[in-house]
Amino acid sequence: MHAVRERCVWSQRITHRDLVPYLIEESHEVIDAVESGTRADLREELGDLLWQVLFHAAIAAQDPDDPFDIDDVARTLTEKMVRRHPHVFADAVARTPEEVLVHWNAAKAAEKRTRSSVLDGVPRGMPALALAQKLVGRAAGVGVAMPASTTVAGPATEAELGDALLALVDRARTNGWDAERALRERLRTVEADVRAVESSI
């Protein structure tokens, strides 16, 4: 990475912002490899994703005001994982996955004390459906209920859920609606509801 950054004129001009589309693409290629690829595909795509991390760290190392490098990234990650696994690196006990999550969430909450909302830290650039799942979970945590749908029969399995979502997308297409925009606009209402509940507490 150092050699590429120093000797490749294209790489020298790349910024963190320039890399974002590549990071998104490489992340989705890893997902494709996990879901339908071979072991060789997964190995290759994980390497491409790792290259993105190395590239960002190389760019960050050249920042004149607040430089950090890949060793700093690894050190920060190690410190975080040690804090979040007290049942591995300290004397806490976790015999079930649920108990592990209790330790994880407690450590995470302690790290994020400056956050004023359960919505803080949720990346808004996520695809709308993934963002919806994250926000609905956070909303439930503060008691904000989602409206019951009057148009979709309740699926009984994940496969049926896929069919129901596909049917809704097809209905949107038929009516000339933008399914992504519709969900994102509805999520803004959910966010407003959550913040209203939090401000009243």
Side-chain angles (χ1 to χ4, degrees), residues 29-39 41:
E29 288 178 0
V30 169
I31 294 167
D32 284 346
V34 168
E35 294 179 345
S36 60
T38 65
R39 299 287 292 169
D41 293 335

Side-chain angles (χ1 to χ4, degrees), residues 60-79:
Q62 295 175 328
D63 186 278
D65 301 318
D66 187 16
F68 61 83
D69 62 15
I70 192 65
D71 291 331
D72 298 315
V73 172
R75 188 176 310 106
T76 301
L77 174 62
T78 299
E79 292 167 357

Side-chain angles (χ1 to χ4, degrees), residues 137-173:
R138 299 285 176 95
V142 295
V144 175
M146 297 298 106
S149 174
T150 57
T151 58
V152 181
T157 66
E158 195 167 279
E160 289 180 9
L161 174 62
D163 290 341
L165 290 170
L166 193 57
L168 285 172
V169 170
D170 186 51
R171 184 171 178 191
R173 179 196 59 79

